[in-house]
Amino acid sequence: MITQARRPLGWVLLAALLAYLMYLTFTAYLSPDFLIGYANLFSC
């Protein structure tokens, strides 16, 4: 019974970890310096 109670908790923790990693990836990728440099490619 304990292993059945742990299994959904493990999936929730895994999903939370993946969401946090995706958040860090997107914030690093969409930093203001990157966006300004990317916009300058099309304005010149």
Side-chain angles (χ1 to χ4, degrees):
M1 180 105 183
I2 293 173
T3 57
Q4 289 180 352
R6 284 187 190 172
R7 186 166 293 176
L9 181 63
W11 284 111
V12 169
L13 289 175
L14 182 63
L17 179 65
L18 288 175
Y20 182 65
L21 287 174
M22 287 177 62
Y23 168 75
L24 289 178
T25 302
F26 280 112
T27 53
Y29 183 71
L30 296 176
S31 66
D33 293 335
F34 176 78
L35 291 176
I36 290 170
Y38 188 72
N40 284 336
L41 287 175
F42 295 107
S43 64
C44 294

